Structures are given as C-alpha cells and as structure tokens.
C-alpha cells in the first residue's frame, strides 16, 4: 500500500498534466463537433435559398474539413506536434487515397457536378437507362427517385462521366403512331384526328400539333401524331385520353384500324 502511495506521489504531476491534456482534447473534440455541425447548418440554410443541392454538398464538405481541423487541434492538445500529425496524415493520405480511389473519384465527380450544374433538385433527368427526379447530391453519391417510387443511389463518378438528359420542362411532347386502312380517305382521317386534338383542353394549343403520314406500312397507312401537354396535367393520362378519343372518333367515322391478316390459298391439283 505504501509503495502505491509513493508511486502516485512521484507520478502525480505527470498524471495531472496528462489528465488536463486529455480533458482539453475532449473539450476541443466536443465543442469542435458542435461548431462544425452549427456551421454546416448555417451554411446549408444560407445556400438553400439559391440551390438546395449546392447547399447540401458544400455543407457536408465544410463539416468534414472543420472536423479534420478539430481532430488535429485535439491531438495537438495531447502534446503531439502538429507537424508530426500533418506528416503522418500526409503519409496515411497516400495509402488511403490508393485504397479509396473509387470513393475519392466519387467526391471529385461530385465537385464536377457542382461546378457544371447539369441539374438541380427536383429536375427530371435520364441517365444510364434510369429516368427519375433528383432528390439530393451528396459527397459520394446522387439520389434519384424513380417514377415507381424506388430510390436509385448512383456514385457521383458514374454520373459525372455519363450522358445526362435533363428533361425538366413545364411541357412535354406526346408522340403516337396510328395506323389506318389503305382504303381510308387521308383528309378525313387527318381532320378527324385534328378535331379530337382541338376538343381536348389538356393539350397545349399554343404549340402547333403535327398530324401526317410518316410511313406506308405493310398493312396500314401510319399517321404520326405529335402534341404538347403540361406536366401538371399528367403526360400518361393525356396520352391515354387522346388514344381513347381517337379510337371512338374513328369508329364514328367508319375509319378502319387494320390488324395483321394472313390470306391462305388452297390449290387442288387435278387428277
């Protein structure tokens, strides 16, 4: 027991300084985490008014950089020299960069997307055979909400190197090919289709529709119909209504919509 007391008394200054250093490092880490989070929220709130995707990306990047500075400061409070820390981080950074080259490529891809700005939150884009609405752009990946409600999470490096089709617009073109019989009167068919288009309120009349023959098929005259509709009215619903109304109008005007036919001739050989 006496030896323990002597040991504690002889090492008490060292234990006190070590305890103070640990306490300082903990305080720096706790308050540093708090201020990094606070600064991230303020940055996000400030930039959100201009662009939510940009705000989210910059806020995450600032948080990571601030917390790295906090870690260095906390290690410095423990008595570790800052130059040694930076040297170790530099050496470790090379190894980490080689091990995490794909993740770092995604970060670089995210920076490219932020600089070039090919889309923003809420835009409807088509990429890698996926079509959906952009929800967020993070440090490593981009989230896209698909039409069926599923969430696609794609690495930024793939998006930065891919062909992006941004189809965000208030209007969308609807195209449909309709075949009629060869015996049909072309002008009657054209006027019938145009009358149907004129009767639909959800079709944008400011954009001139196109109705014309674009192909002589093996069994039908193929009319291509192109009209414009607003996204808020539902593109699929407008297209479905257009097809239904044209079918009813064709029936009323005795316009045939042909289907594939096969004529078979049986030849009987004479005895």
């Amino acid at each position: 027991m006496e030896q323990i007391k002597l040991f504690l008394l002889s090492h008490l200054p060292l234990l006190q300084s070590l305890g103070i250093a640990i306490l300082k490092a903990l305080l720096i880490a706790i308050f540093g985490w708090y201020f990094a989070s606070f600064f991230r929220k303020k940055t996000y709130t400030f930039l959100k008014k201009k662009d939510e995707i940009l705000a989210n990306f910059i806020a995450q990047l600032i948080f990571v950089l601030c917390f790295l500075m906090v870690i260095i400061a906390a290690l410095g409070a423990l008595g570790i020299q800052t130059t040694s820390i930076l040297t170790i981080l530099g050496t470790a950074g090379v190894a980490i960069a080689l091990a995490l080259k794909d993740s770092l490529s995604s970060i670089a891809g995210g920076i490219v997307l932020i600089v070039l700005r090919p889309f923003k939150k809420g835009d409807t884009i088509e990429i890698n055979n996926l079509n959906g609405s952009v929800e967020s752009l993070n440090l490593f990946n981009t989230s896209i909400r698909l039409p069926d409600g599923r969430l696609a999470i794609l690495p930024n490096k793939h998006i930065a190197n891919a062909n992006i089709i941004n189809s965000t617009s208030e209007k969308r073109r609807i195209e449909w090919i309709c075949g009629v019989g060869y015996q049909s009167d072309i002008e009657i068919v054209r006027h019938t289709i145009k009358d149907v288009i004129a009767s639909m309120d959800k079709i944008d009349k400011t954009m001139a529709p196109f109705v014309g023959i674009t192909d002589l098929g093996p069994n039908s005259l193929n009319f291509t119909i192109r009209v414009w509709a607003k996204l808020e009215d539902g593109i699929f619903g407008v297209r479905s209504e257009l097809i239904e109304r044209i079918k009813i109008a064709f029936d009323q005007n005795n316009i045939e919509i042909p289907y594939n036919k096969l004529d078979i001739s049986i030849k009987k050989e004479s005895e």
Side-chain angles (χ1 to χ4, degrees), residues 186-202:
I186 293 176
E187 290 301 321
I188 293 178
V189 174
R190 182 182 287 111
H191 285 299
T192 300
I193 296 174
K194 287 187 174 181
D195 289 342
V196 171
I197 293 173
S199 66
M200 293 181 61
D201 296 333
K202 293 182 179 180

Side-chain angles (χ1 to χ4, degrees), residues 148-196:
D148 59 2
R150 293 180 297 169
L151 184 65
I153 302 176
L154 306 178
N156 289 334
K157 65 174 184 176
H158 293 162
I159 296 180
N161 296 324
N163 295 323
I164 301 173
I165 300 176
N166 193 327
S167 55
T168 301
S169 175
E170 294 181 356
K171 303 174 184 178
R172 188 72 57 82
R173 191 181 73 182
I174 299 173
E175 181 172 324
W176 178 51
I177 298 176
C178 175
V180 298
Y182 271 96
Q183 73 278 7
S184 302
D185 189 299
I186 293 176
E187 290 301 321
I188 293 178
V189 174
R190 182 182 287 111
H191 285 299
T192 300
I193 296 174
K194 287 187 174 181
D195 289 342
V196 171

Side-chain angles (χ1 to χ4, degrees), residues 93-264:
V94 176
I96 293 173
L98 293 175
L100 302 177
K101 60 180 181 179
D102 292 337
S103 298
L104 294 177
S105 298
S106 291
I107 295 177
I111 295 174
V112 170
L113 294 175
I114 287 296
V115 173
L116 298 181
R117 308 293 293 281
F119 53 77
K120 62 181 183 296
K121 183 175 181 180
D123 283 2
T124 301
I125 65 172
E126 182 178 346
I127 180 172
N128 295 336
N129 296 324
L130 294 177
N131 192 316
S133 176
V134 179
E135 286 207 348
S136 64
L137 171 60
N138 301 312
L139 280 177
F140 298 99
N141 53 62
T142 299
S143 299
I144 301 175
R145 182 68 63 180
L146 303 181
D148 59 2
R150 293 180 297 169
L151 184 65
I153 302 176
L154 306 178
N156 289 334
K157 65 174 184 176
H158 293 162
I159 296 180
N161 296 324
N163 295 323
I164 301 173
I165 300 176
N166 193 327
S167 55
T168 301
S169 175
E170 294 181 356
K171 303 174 184 178
R172 188 72 57 82
R173 191 181 73 182
I174 299 173
E175 181 172 324
W176 178 51
I177 298 176
C178 175
V180 298
Y182 271 96
Q183 73 278 7
S184 302
D185 189 299
I186 293 176
E187 290 301 321
I188 293 178
V189 174
R190 182 182 287 111
H191 285 299
T192 300
I193 296 174
K194 287 187 174 181
D195 289 342
V196 171
I197 293 173
S199 66
M200 293 181 61
D201 296 333
K202 293 182 179 180
I203 290 180
D204 187 6
K205 305 302 189 303
T206 61
M207 306 289 288
F210 172 83
V211 179
I213 295 177
T214 55
D215 185 27
L216 300 177
N219 300 302
S220 64
L221 295 170
N222 294 330
F223 281 80
T224 296
I225 304 166
R226 293 173 180 167
V227 296
W228 292 80
K230 294 182 178 179
L231 287 175
E232 61 185 19
D233 292 329
I235 300 302
F236 291 105
V238 175
R239 187 176 188 274
S240 176
E241 182 180 351
L242 175 65
I243 295 174
E244 290 178 5
R245 291 197 180 195
I246 289 177
K247 174 61 170 65
I248 295 173
F250 279 0
D251 291 342
Q252 293 173 349
N253 290 274
N254 296 319
I255 299 174
E256 179 191 7
I257 300 178
Y259 51 87
N260 292 333
K261 298 178 182 179
L262 179 63
D263 294 331
I264 299 177

Side-chain angles (χ1 to χ4, degrees), residues 13-118:
L14 178 61
L15 294 175
Q16 287 179 343
S17 61
L18 182 60
I20 293 173
I22 293 174
L23 181 60
K24 287 171 62 178
L26 288 175
L27 290 175
I28 290 174
I30 293 172
F31 284 102
W33 176 277
Y34 172 78
F35 283 112
S37 301
F38 176 79
F39 195 50
R40 178 185 63 181
K41 291 179 182 179
K42 289 297 181 181
T43 303
Y44 177 78
T45 304
F46 177 75
L47 296 177
K48 183 181 178 182
K49 302 175 183 178
K50 298 181 180 180
D51 190 334
E52 189 169 348
I53 283 186
L54 175 65
N56 185 52
F57 187 88
I58 297 296
Q60 290 184 18
L61 187 61
I62 287 177
F63 176 80
V64 172
L65 294 176
C66 288
F67 195 65
L68 284 176
M69 295 174 62
V70 170
I71 293 175
I72 294 174
L75 293 176
L78 291 175
I80 302 175
Q81 294 183 359
T82 307
T83 54
S84 301
I85 297 173
L86 295 177
T87 302
I88 294 172
L89 289 177
T91 305
V94 176
I96 293 173
L98 293 175
L100 302 177
K101 60 180 181 179
D102 292 337
S103 298
L104 294 177
S105 298
S106 291
I107 295 177
I111 295 174
V112 170
L113 294 175
I114 287 296
V115 173
L116 298 181
R117 308 293 293 281

